[in-house]
Amino acid sequence: MPAPDQAMLISGGKGGSGETPFRVVTGHGSFVLPFFRKVRYLTLAMCEAEVGEACVTKQGIALNVRAVIAFKVGNDEESIVNAGQRFLSDQDQMSVLTGRIFAGHLRSIVGSMTVEEIVTERQKLATEVLDGSKAEMAKIGLTVDSLQIQSIDDMKLGYIAAMAAPHNAAIQRQAQIAQAQANQAAAEAEQESQRRQAEYARQTAVVQAQYKAEVDRAQAAASQAGPLAQAQAQREVIAMQTELAQREAELRQQQLVAEVVKPADAEAERVRILAQAEAEKMRIQAEAAASHNRVALDRMLIDQLPQIVKEAAGGLAGANVNILNGADGLGELASGLVGQGLAILDSVKKGLSDKPSTPELTERDGSR
């Protein structure tokens, strides 16, 4: 019974169909008579062939091209028969023959292309080689799954390197520019990071300083609260003492005015009134002596009484006299003034009566 990747080929007798020398069995077993039939197996697995060929390009430049071909026997009966007729006795020859077929087509395709096309369009090269070898591979019962160009070498001529030099220079230049930009970006990022760190440190220091200042103020206020309260209390006590002293001084001033100034003013006023009365008496005496008329003198004294009382009242008007009993006190003051005036009048009369009459007055009285 064949394996999944094998085809069983039965030869001998009349097992073939038409012109095929053997019968093909895949995917199942078959009864075979020994001695009359011969059974052999053809691999259907994937095979690999390597090609390393020196080719000359359209420009006359020699290139060493290496490629890998993945192939296998076709799954149809015709392909299996074709491959079996050619490779059944030596299946390793499939890779050798495939390599030779592709080497020929590879040289042909490379000769029609330039180095630049071969280097830059490897897939195009592989596709054209596949297309050129497909019919030939089908004749021997093989199908190609893929063709990969592994390397293209100018055999140290330097053509490919020279061709790549501008691109390499541009790439290097771009790489240097990119590296410089990356370095600049990294430096800017580092500077920005340092700036932000410095800014954060500054803000942190400011906040810490503000917090410490607030704590210091609170501690200072707390430490000064007691002395401030004591000073405030002392200031209030001093203010109250000062106010009390001012009131005591005002009271003492009032007492001095009541005890010293007012009595002195009253005494001075009394003396003034007495002096005025004495002067008035002398005037009246003179007038009486001149007129030899005692009755007229008395009349004049009585007429002068309101003026004397008025003068006494006028003298007391400037004094700071406190009336304590309202209307009664005022009446007492007025009665005192009138009584004082009468006393002054009586004193004047008495003085006139005690003095001796002048000769002129006596003579006039005698004549009367």
Side-chain angles (χ1 to χ4, degrees):
M1 181 176 179
D5 60 347
Q6 289 180 335
M8 186 172 64
L9 304 181
I10 303 172
S11 61
K14 296 181 180 179
S17 59
E19 297 180 355
T20 60
F22 38 73
R23 183 164 60 94
V24 178
V25 179
T26 58
H28 59 85
S30 177
F31 178 75
V32 178
L33 292 175
F35 307 110
F36 295 98
R37 299 286 189 270
K38 186 175 182 180
V39 178
R40 286 182 291 183
Y41 295 93
L42 179 67
T43 181
L44 302 179
M46 184 66 64
C47 299
E48 183 178 281
E50 292 186 0
V51 176
E53 193 70 18
C55 307
V56 179
T57 65
K58 183 179 180 179
Q59 300 158 311
I61 299 172
L63 297 178
N64 187 14
V65 180
R66 295 181 61 85
V68 175
I69 304 100
F71 67 95
K72 64 181 292 294
V73 177
N75 293 326
D76 60 287
E77 185 175 346
E78 181 180 0
S79 296
I80 294 173
V81 171
N82 291 335
Q85 289 177 339
R86 290 169 176 83
F87 308 112
L88 186 58
S89 59
D90 189 3
Q91 298 186 28
D92 292 337
Q93 289 296 317
M94 287 190 293
S95 297
V96 176
L97 182 58
T98 300
R100 290 175 180 175
I101 293 172
F102 273 88
H105 288 284
L106 187 61
R107 286 194 301 269
S108 176
I109 301 302
V110 169
S112 64
M113 298 177 65
T114 63
V115 178
E116 288 77 7
E117 291 175 344
I118 294 171
V119 172
T120 59
E121 300 179 7
R122 290 190 180 188
Q123 188 59 40
K124 177 182 177 182
L125 173 61
T127 302
E128 291 187 2
V129 171
L130 282 175
D131 292 340
S133 60
K134 185 180 296 183
E136 191 172 353
M137 292 290 289
K139 290 179 181 180
I140 60 177
L142 303 178
T143 60
V144 178
D145 285 346
S146 67
L147 170 64
Q148 297 294 330
I149 305 298
Q150 288 187 324
S151 65
I152 300 173
D153 184 13
D154 61 1
M155 294 178 288
K156 299 182 180 181
L157 292 177
Y159 187 91
I160 296 177
M163 182 179 66
H167 182 70
N168 291 335
I171 293 298
Q172 291 178 359
R173 184 170 57 254
Q174 292 177 359
Q176 291 175 355
I177 293 173
Q179 184 64 40
Q181 292 175 349
N183 293 338
Q184 182 179 0
E188 291 176 355
E190 180 67 20
Q191 292 176 358
E192 180 66 17
S193 176
Q194 293 178 357
R195 187 189 66 79
R196 290 183 179 179
Q197 291 178 359
E199 180 65 20
Y200 179 77
R202 185 189 68 79
Q203 292 177 357
T204 302
V206 170
V207 172
Q208 290 177 349
Q210 292 176 350
Y211 176 76
K212 185 177 183 303
E214 292 178 0
V215 172
D216 293 343
R217 284 197 298 269
Q219 292 178 349
S223 63
Q224 294 177 359
L228 287 176
Q230 184 177 1
Q232 181 67 24
Q234 291 179 355
R235 185 164 58 248
E236 292 178 356
V237 170
I238 293 173
M240 295 179 64
Q241 291 177 349
T242 302
E243 183 179 358
L244 179 60
Q246 290 178 352
R247 291 187 178 183
E248 289 178 351
E250 292 176 357
L251 179 60
R252 181 60 183 164
Q253 184 178 5
Q254 292 177 359
Q255 290 176 353
L256 289 175
V257 170
E259 294 174 359
V260 178
V261 176
K262 289 184 179 179
D265 291 343
E267 179 64 21
E269 183 65 21
R270 188 182 69 79
V271 171
R272 188 184 67 79
I273 293 174
L274 291 177
Q276 186 177 3
E278 183 67 22
E280 186 66 20
K281 181 185 73 173
M282 295 300 294
R283 187 180 64 79
I284 293 174
Q285 286 178 352
E287 290 179 356
S291 61
H292 303 282
N293 190 350
R294 189 61 177 269
V295 176
L297 179 60
D298 293 338
R299 183 66 179 176
M300 289 178 62
L301 291 174
I302 293 171
D303 292 339
Q304 292 298 323
L305 180 60
Q307 182 64 28
I308 293 171
V309 174
K310 182 178 180 182
E311 291 295 332
L316 293 176
N320 187 7
V321 179
N322 294 325
I323 300 174
L324 303 176
N325 297 329
D328 295 336
L330 184 61
E332 292 176 0
L333 179 62
S335 298
L337 291 175
V338 175
Q340 187 176 5
L342 292 176
I344 295 171
L345 182 60
D346 291 338
S347 179
V348 172
K349 287 182 179 183
K350 184 177 179 180
L352 292 176
S353 62
D354 291 339
K355 280 190 175 184
S357 301
T358 62
E360 184 180 357
L361 182 60
T362 303
E363 185 178 2
R364 289 180 180 179
D365 290 340
S367 63
R368 287 179 183 178

